[in-house]
Amino acid sequence: MSQVPSMRYDARYPGIADLKRRAKRRLPNFAFDYLEGGIDDEQAKRRNRQAFHDVHLTPRYLRDVSTIDTQVTLFGTQYALPFGVSPVGLGDMLWPGAETALARAAQNARIPYVLSTFSTTPIESIAKAALDVCWFQLYVPRSVDILEDMIARVKHAGFRALVVTVDIPVGAKRNRELRNSLKLPFTLTPQMAWQSLTHPTWALQTLARGAPDFVNVARYRTDTSQALSDFISSMTIPGLPVERLRKIRELWDGPLIVKGLQAEENFRTAIDCNVDGIIISNHGGRQLDAAPATIDTLRSLPKDIASQVTVMIDSGVRSGLDILRGKALGAQAAFSGRSFYYGLGALGAPGATQVIDIFRDELTRSLMQLGCLRFEDLDSSWLANSSG
Ligand SMILES: Cc1cc2nc3c(=O)[nH]c(=O)nc-3n(C[C@H](O)[C@H](O)[C@H](O)COP(=O)(O)O)c2cc1C
């Protein structure tokens, strides 16, 4: 339960856009561009944001809003707030120690933290830092042996949910990364070395921590003559067949979530495979520039689908109000990737908590402003006519 929120965070950076501006200054260009980049002309990324702006809600006054309930129950677990951290690969390249800082902040705030397959911190360390709230994101390996081993490790470590990402049937060609010669594993070009030297806080902390590496998957590279980057790109399945999703359902008996679906026929197939949840996502506009904004996909989701699985959303969430816009259209929770990394880039480890505090503050104030006492009660009846 929240009362009128007091501003506990650094008010010099009151919104996600303020953190982004500072992160751009503090991160070397190649790191900022990796975070910020979308695919092609980056129209899908822009569309995601615009579509959130276009959802209008009508406030209801003449009611007591002194106590607000922001909790949400997802897959039988109660979370203090209805938002979480999307999986982001190579997190520690963006900010040294980012993944651990985010996991700890998420545990303290009791919000879901989704660890990427391509994280730079071991599965087991993150499970310790965020035992009650950690979810694991899986890029599905081609090899069934690797798949079985990864799921066994995630289960053994105590992860609460498995998130299967399906929207990378092919590696993306992102022009910002190509221009910066960003290659895996992380190798410094003279241009990158110069950018690092001119961003000393990032550089010193990266030096102290060591070059970021794909710690969770490196062990599966049996042919050591193969470059790690080639192994990584050959490791994952080029387009997930339905039978493989069914196999994952057999191997994982906890909450199973599919991330990245956009077409109605795919939602129906996922339900047929007995998944528990879906995250409507276009990977933050990083895969297909013609992809619809996720809030538009959510708006057109047939009602019977929403009644069979837990629906969540990401891609373009930048405020507490955006989380409410998603809820009014049927998303039980919202996630963001870039927002949290803007926080880390701007403020280092405390930036993780700053982003959570900003979202909490905006969400609580917006619920009060809307006259909705419980997040879970916010529904389409709050949508202004033009937004439904
Ligand atoms: C730098 C970066 C790396 C990402 N890496 C992954 C990943 O490893 N696995 C995954 O499922 N999604 C990944 N995503 C997509 C995010 O999980 C999420 O869908 C997206 O960031 C949401 O959009 P937003 O950044 O606009 O909030 C990545 C996104 C970014 C920006």
Side-chain angles (χ1 to χ4, degrees):
M1 294 284 179
S2 291
Q3 307 292 328
V4 180
S6 61
M7 228 181 244
R8 288 181 296 180
Y9 48 89
D10 186 339
R12 286 175 303 166
Y13 309 102
I16 301 304
D18 302 294
L19 294 169
K20 174 176 163 179
R21 269 190 292 277
R22 184 157 203 245
K24 188 170 180 355
R25 287 201 304 274
R26 297 222 317 162
L27 292 176
N29 294 353
F30 65 84
F32 184 79
D33 275 351
Y34 165 62
L35 175 64
E36 190 58 12
I39 188 115
D40 296 344
D41 294 330
E42 306 192 341
Q43 293 296 327
K45 195 182 89 169
R46 276 185 215 108
R47 211 158 33 248
N48 285 334
R49 286 296 306 129
Q50 188 55 48
F52 271 103
H53 286 304
D54 291 343
V55 178
H56 304 157
L57 305 172
T58 306
R60 296 174 188 172
Y61 300 127
L62 308 179
R63 49 179 68 177
D64 176 5
V65 293
S66 50
T67 306
I68 292 288
D69 184 354
T70 58
Q71 297 176 105
V72 68
T73 300
L74 301 170
F75 314 111
T77 299
Q78 198 171 62
Y79 294 92
L81 294 158
F83 61 85
V85 184
S86 297
V88 166
L90 268 178
D92 285 12
M93 186 195 74
L94 290 165
W95 193 262
E99 290 157 355
T100 308
L102 280 169
R104 288 197 183 125
Q107 172 75 22
N108 285 340
R110 293 199 62 86
I111 63 165
Y113 172 70
V114 192
L115 182 73
S116 164
T117 295
F118 294 138
S119 72
T120 40
T121 314
I123 288 174
E124 294 72 17
S125 320
I126 292 296
K128 282 199 192 105
L131 192 55
D132 300 313
V133 298
C134 59
W135 300 6
F136 185 76
Q137 177 267 323
L138 182 73
Y139 280 131
V140 180
R142 284 174 202 248
S143 148
V144 175
D145 289 347
I146 297 180
L147 173 70
E148 288 179 349
D149 188 62
M150 286 188 81
I151 292 185
R153 283 167 62 199
V154 168
K155 212 185 269 186
H156 185 250
F159 279 74
R160 305 275 152 170
L162 186 68
V163 179
V164 176
T165 298
V166 297
D167 58 4
I168 308 215
V170 57
K173 167 184 156 289
R174 296 193 196 108
N175 296 345
R176 293 198 200 210
E177 290 168 23
L178 291 169
R179 274 183 227 118
N180 289 322
S181 317
L182 186 66
K183 288 204 189 76
L184 306 174
F186 184 57
T187 17
L188 271 187
T189 61
Q191 181 198 14
M192 288 160 89
W194 173 249
Q195 290 175 15
S196 305
L197 282 174
T198 48
H199 295 83
T201 316
W202 180 93
L204 285 173
Q205 293 200 23
T206 297
L207 265 182
R209 208 181 158 81
D213 199 2
F214 295 109
V215 286
N216 291 318
V217 294
R219 66 169 75 183
Y220 300 119
R221 184 177 51 146
T222 45
D223 174 5
T224 44
S225 65
Q226 187 185 27
L228 183 62
S229 52
D230 293 342
F231 167 71
I232 296 289
S233 48
S234 65
M235 189 194 112
T236 52
I237 208 158
L240 179 69
V242 179
E243 307 76 59
R244 192 56 75 85
L245 186 57
R246 289 195 203 283
K247 172 86 186 162
I248 295 169
R249 178 69 287 181
E250 276 167 32
L251 294 170
W252 177 262
D253 51 9
L256 179 63
I257 299 155
V258 177
K259 171 174 181 280
L261 298 180
Q262 295 171 57
E264 181 181 336
E265 62 167 72
N266 285 168
F267 293 129
R268 298 206 181 279
T269 307
I271 290 170
D272 188 53
C273 293
N274 279 328
V275 311
D276 303 287
I278 51 176
I279 301 180
I280 297 180
S281 169
N282 58 26
H283 220 95
R286 288 165 73 83
Q287 289 300 119
L288 178 71
D289 216 19
T294 51
I295 205 91
D296 290 336
T297 305
L298 176 65
R299 187 187 277 108
S300 54
L301 195 72
K303 291 223 165 11
D304 68 298
I305 292 180
S307 67
Q308 294 177 73
V309 279
T310 299
V311 177
M312 296 163 283
I313 189 168
D314 82 6
S315 302
V317 173
R318 295 290 179 272
S319 70
L321 181 56
D322 288 342
I323 297 160
L324 301 185
R325 287 168 155 141
K327 180 65 169 66
L329 286 165
Q332 304 303 311
F335 290 76
S336 180
R338 294 188 183 91
S339 304
F340 288 95
Y341 280 85
Y342 295 148
L344 286 153
L347 302 175
T353 304
Q354 171 100 356
V355 175
I356 296 172
D357 286 345
I358 289 173
F359 279 165
R360 180 199 286 112
D361 186 8
E362 292 172 347
L363 179 93
T364 310
R365 287 175 196 271
S366 299
L367 281 169
M368 290 171 146
Q369 194 68 40
L370 287 170
C372 179
L373 305 190
R374 296 175 68 238
F375 171 78
E376 294 208 317
D377 290 342
L378 190 76
D379 61 17
S380 59
S381 67
W382 263 270
L383 289 172
N385 286 344
S386 56
S387 294

